[in-house]
Amino acid sequence: MTLDPGELQLMSGIGDVIRLAVAPVFLLTGVGTMLTVLTNRLARAVDRARALEHEAAAGAEAARVLELHCSLATLAQRGRLLSVAIALCTICALLVSLVIMALFLGAALKIGVGLLIGALFVGAMLSFIGAILCFLREVFVATSNLRIGLRRLS
């Protein structure tokens, strides 16, 4: 069985596209790992908030209830930051997936998609940068809450 030159060229073009798509696929792996970290942190914050709400509802003394409400406000802020980071990571993953799809469609339909791929990739990176900044802010909020909780001897 022999392939005609058109089929050989198509197979060669698909091979090139697969090579080009490898880097975005690795990026998807990294984004997926980041999503796992973010969702685990969000789950821990939600679990902690539920425990504190239960403690506050159990009838703690007034000073402790005030402290619990401050901790709950911090956990709510962390939850919002993590939710935004998760949304931005998800958008990043969608845009990278569109980059891969555009690579294959461009090769199959023999159309120029360079500008589209560039725009999608820049959008993906902006989303990922936003997610990392939200994550960093959430870490700062979490660690500042730890410092606040320490009793100063003065």
Side-chain angles (χ1 to χ4, degrees):
M1 179 173 149
T2 60
L3 298 173
D4 68 39
E7 288 175 327
L8 284 173
Q9 185 179 8
L10 178 63
M11 287 179 62
S12 174
I14 295 297
D16 291 339
V17 172
I18 289 172
R19 280 190 289 281
L20 287 173
V22 168
V25 169
F26 281 122
L27 177 58
L28 279 177
T29 303
V31 172
T33 302
M34 183 73 168
L35 278 168
T36 300
V37 168
L38 294 170
T39 55
N40 285 339
R41 287 183 71 88
L42 181 59
R44 291 186 68 193
V46 167
D47 290 344
R48 180 74 181 135
R50 285 183 180 148
L52 293 178
E53 286 174 340
H54 181 35
E55 185 181 340
E61 60 188 56
R64 177 69 180 144
V65 169
L66 181 61
E67 185 179 324
L68 291 172
H69 283 290
C70 289
S71 293
L72 286 168
T74 300
L75 287 169
Q77 182 182 11
R78 288 180 58 198
R80 284 189 300 274
L81 286 165
L82 288 166
S83 293
V84 170
I86 289 168
L88 289 170
C89 269
T90 303
I91 290 168
C92 176
L94 289 170
L95 291 173
V96 171
S97 298
L98 288 172
V99 165
I100 295 167
M101 189 177 74
L103 281 167
F104 281 98
L105 286 176
L109 301 175
K110 294 184 171 122
I111 56 174
V113 290
L115 188 58
L116 174 64
I117 289 170
L120 289 171
F121 192 77
V122 167
M125 288 299 94
L126 289 173
S127 294
F128 196 65
I129 290 167
I132 291 171
L133 289 173
C134 286
F135 176 64
L136 183 63
R137 178 69 182 135
E138 186 271 338
V139 169
F140 287 159
V141 170
T143 56
S144 70
N145 189 42
L146 290 174
R147 283 186 290 246
I148 290 171
L150 295 175
R151 305 283 187 239
R152 290 197 177 112
L153 299 174
S154 50

